[in-house]
Amino acid sequence: MARNVTVSWVLPTTRESTKPLDAAQIASVELSISADAGANWTVYGTFTPDVLSTVVPELEIGEWSFSGVVIDVAGKRSKPKVAVAVVPDDSAPSALGELTVTL
C-alpha cells in the first residue's frame, strides 16, 4: 500500500571549515530520491531556504533513500546527507493455499 512520506531538514549554520554560514548565503536545498539503496538518484526537487520539508506522495512498498544537498549562492554544494524510509507492506495475508473438508 502506497504511503505519503514527509521529508524534513535543518539548514546548516556553518561551512565545512566550521566558519559561520549566514542563512542569506544559502541558495537552495536539492532533494534526491533513490529506490535502489542509492545506486541511482533522481532529483525530486530544489527548495528555497525558507522551505524545510516536503511530502513525497504515494511511495510504494520498499526501502527509499533520500539525499539532501545544500547549495550556496556561489554554487558550492555540500556533501549529501542521506536518510532512509521503509514503506511497510501492511496488506492482509494471501488466502490459504488450500482448504480441504472431509466427511
Side-chain angles (χ1 to χ4, degrees), residues 17-91:
S17 66
T18 71
K19 300 290 184 196
L21 174 65
D22 186 86
Q25 295 174 315
I26 298 173
S28 61
V29 172
E30 182 181 271
L31 182 66
S32 298
I33 188 169
S34 172
D36 56 9
N40 295 288
W41 293 97
T42 300
V43 174
Y44 179 75
T46 301
F47 303 90
T48 56
D50 60 321
V51 176
L52 300 176
S53 68
T54 189
V55 175
V56 180
E58 298 295 315
L59 286 181
E60 295 298 324
I61 295 166
E63 184 173 291
W64 295 86
S65 298
F66 297 88
S67 172
V69 174
V70 178
I71 304 167
D72 74 6
V73 293
K76 294 180 185 150
R77 299 169 64 88
S78 71
K79 293 179 183 173
K81 183 74 167 187
V82 176
V84 174
V86 176
V87 178
D89 183 352
D90 55 5
S91 61

